[in-house]
Amino acid sequence: MTLFYSGDKNGRHINRVGFLVSELLLPHVKHFEPVSDRICYMHIADKSGDLILNCVYAPTETGPNDEKEVFYEELERTYDKFPNHCSKILLGDFNAQVGNETMYKPTVGGESAHDIRNGNE
């Protein structure tokens, strides 16, 4: 296995996102880029086409608004920089809280740890 990961500009690994890639898949990895400590992507290519995997770790809903704005602007730029003929997959942790509201009952039943959802869903 090979680990590809990101950190911040000071070399610290606070939020860290990344990919753990098996040796069998490694020859198909064409590019890896750590965009920030919260966003990275990997370009995988083979005979069936190009696959772009975006891995993210979103700020919490209660985090500073400027941090959230920067994150989502960066994510949008990263996602949109690839042509539409590429298959794009967005992976990661968006710090969403799913509540006990009626609309979520078919999915989570009455087992949510939160009474109401937050804005990260």
Side-chain angles (χ1 to χ4, degrees):
M1 302 290 256
T2 301
L3 178 64
F4 295 85
Y5 62 94
S6 67
D8 71 2
K9 291 180 172 78
N10 297 320
R12 299 175 305 165
H13 302 290
I14 295 175
N15 296 315
R16 293 187 286 214
V17 289
F19 300 95
L20 188 59
V21 179
S22 77
E23 297 301 319
L24 294 173
L25 184 60
L26 203 52
H28 299 282
V29 174
K30 299 304 176 195
H31 184 71
F32 168 78
E33 185 170 332
V35 177
S36 70
D37 61 332
R38 292 184 175 273
I39 301 171
C40 67
Y41 71 86
M42 181 173 284
H43 177 186
I44 298 173
D46 69 4
K47 60 185 174 194
S48 63
D50 291 340
L51 176 63
I52 307 299
L53 301 173
N54 293 277
C55 187
V56 303
Y57 176 52
T60 61
E61 179 63 16
T62 57
N65 283 338
D66 59 334
E67 184 180 347
K68 291 187 290 187
E69 286 178 28
V70 167
F71 169 78
Y72 284 105
E73 287 171 3
E74 245 178 358
L75 177 57
E76 186 173 10
R77 273 194 310 275
T78 301
Y79 189 85
D80 289 344
K81 78 188 244 179
F82 298 101
N84 288 333
H85 73 270
C86 294
S87 296
K88 302 183 232 180
I89 298 176
L90 191 55
L91 308 161
D93 182 354
F94 281 90
N95 282 306
Q97 294 178 354
V98 178
N100 280 323
E101 292 102 326
T102 305
M103 67 187 283
Y104 298 115
K105 294 279 186 203
T107 306
V108 296
E111 305 304 318
S112 176
H114 308 284
D115 292 329
I116 58 171
R117 65 180 171 80
N118 69 4
N120 281 6
E121 77 282 350

